[in-house]
Amino acid sequence: MQSGQMIAKKNEKVNYWYLVQEGSVIQKFDFSEVKLEKNAIIGILEQDRYICDYIAGEDAVLAAFACENSEDLKNILVGQERIRSIFLKAAVEQRHQLLCLYSDLYTKTRQFHIFVETLYNEYKNLCNKFKIEEQIFTKMEH
C-alpha cells in the first residue's frame, strides 16, 4: 500500500483483517487519529463493519486474512501459535490505545465544560453587577 491509500472505509463490511508488517496505517476517526504500526491488526476491534477509515500513513506492507466471522478467525488461528500471540497482543495494545484516546477526549471535554460554565457564571455576575437583564441560553443546562 502506498502512503495515503485507503485500506478500509468506515461502515464497510469487514471481509478481511490486515496485519501491518511494515510501515504504518492511520486509524482515522471523525474526532481523532491513531497511528498503527508493525503487528497492528486492522479489523480486530470491529464487529461486522469497520468503525473508522484506515489509510496507509506511509508505504505499508499488509498481510490480508479473510475474516468475516468467528469461524474464519478460528481457522486462521488453528495451529498457528505465533499468529495467535500476535493477534492477542495486537488486540490488547489497540484496545489500550483507544482507551487512552477516549480518556484524553473525556479530559478535554470536562475542561471545556468547566471553561464554558465559568464564562457563563461570569456573564451572570456581570449582568447582576451592572443590572442588565440576562439573555437566556437555552442549552446551558445541558
Side-chain angles (χ1 to χ4, degrees), residues 15-76:
N15 293 316
Y16 292 92
W17 285 9
Y18 300 93
L19 172 65
V20 179
Q21 295 182 310
E22 291 180 24
S24 67
V25 172
I26 303 300
Q27 187 177 20
K28 187 172 176 58
F29 297 94
D30 293 336
F31 51 84
S32 192
E33 295 180 356
V34 175
K35 186 176 183 179
L36 303 176
E37 297 181 304
K38 185 175 182 173
N39 291 334
I41 300 174
I42 298 166
I44 199 165
L45 300 179
E46 280 83 1
Q47 296 289 322
D48 62 335
R49 303 264 174 208
Y50 291 108
I51 59 175
C52 60
D53 292 335
Y54 293 92
I55 303 162
E58 55 191 64
D59 289 351
V61 176
L62 306 174
F65 298 89
C67 196
E68 294 183 40
N69 53 46
S70 60
E71 194 61 37
D72 288 344
L73 179 59
K74 189 190 306 184
N75 291 335
I76 292 168

Side-chain angles (χ1 to χ4, degrees), residues 39-118:
N39 291 334
I41 300 174
I42 298 166
I44 199 165
L45 300 179
E46 280 83 1
Q47 296 289 322
D48 62 335
R49 303 264 174 208
Y50 291 108
I51 59 175
C52 60
D53 292 335
Y54 293 92
I55 303 162
E58 55 191 64
D59 289 351
V61 176
L62 306 174
F65 298 89
C67 196
E68 294 183 40
N69 53 46
S70 60
E71 194 61 37
D72 288 344
L73 179 59
K74 189 190 306 184
N75 291 335
I76 292 168
L77 300 177
V78 168
Q80 305 260 359
E81 185 63 37
R82 185 170 182 277
I83 294 291
R84 272 198 307 266
S85 65
I86 289 172
F87 275 43
L88 179 59
K89 185 176 181 202
V92 170
E93 287 177 357
Q94 287 172 236
R95 182 68 67 189
H96 176 73
Q97 279 181 307
L98 287 180
L99 288 173
C100 289
L101 173 64
Y102 295 150
S103 175
D104 184 48
L105 290 172
Y106 174 79
T107 300
K108 288 177 181 175
T109 303
R110 277 299 296 149
Q111 290 170 342
F112 182 69
H113 175 80
I114 291 168
F115 169 75
V116 170
E117 200 170 53
T118 301

